[in-house]
Amino acid sequence: MRYLHSALRVSELDATLHFFCDLLGFTLLRRSDHEKGRYTGCKLAAPGDMPGAESNNAPLLELVYNWDEKDYDNGRNFGHLAFDVDDIYATCQKLMEGGVTINRPPRDGFMAFIKTPDGISLELLQKSG
């Protein structure tokens, strides 16, 4: 068994792609519009996963935009997605400059929490070593 991806339903696809790609550095690998199902699917790879993503050996983030649904209940049962970053302070600074609120700043130099435009919690961890 191999972990493939996490899927997030999003209400504003452009804002979410900006958040992940422009601010966090993810790469959009595939985008597909499904007229019959009335949704758009996007597969993203985190910057550190790119070599594996290109060879289909890395986990991906899938964004699902349902054309006719705009409001999603963000229950706490989801939890959060976690990513390690090279420099937690520089990453948080870039996010703040992009208008993102840092819900839990990296006071200890190790961990920060932010939210996507749809209110999904992301944990950023300082890469060890």
Side-chain angles (χ1 to χ4, degrees), residues 23-102:
L23 298 178
L24 286 175
F26 280 62
T27 298
L28 175 62
L29 297 174
R30 291 183 295 284
R31 178 182 175 143
S32 54
D33 296 315
H34 301 272
E35 182 70 39
K36 194 171 195 175
R38 302 198 45 75
Y39 75 95
T40 299
C42 297
K43 295 284 179 88
L44 309 178
D49 289 332
M50 270 308 295
E54 292 167 337
S55 63
N56 202 30
N57 288 322
L60 299 177
L61 176 61
E62 178 182 27
L63 304 179
V64 179
Y65 172 67
N66 292 297
W67 302 349
D68 300 321
E69 190 164 351
K70 300 294 181 210
D71 296 316
Y72 293 103
D73 182 6
N74 291 308
R76 293 289 298 158
N77 62 332
F78 175 76
H80 64 269
L81 301 173
F83 302 94
D84 66 1
V85 297
D86 289 327
D87 183 332
I88 193 136
Y89 291 108
T91 299
C92 288
Q93 184 62 42
K94 179 180 179 182
L95 290 166
M96 286 188 295
E97 289 169 2
V100 175
T101 299
I102 309 298

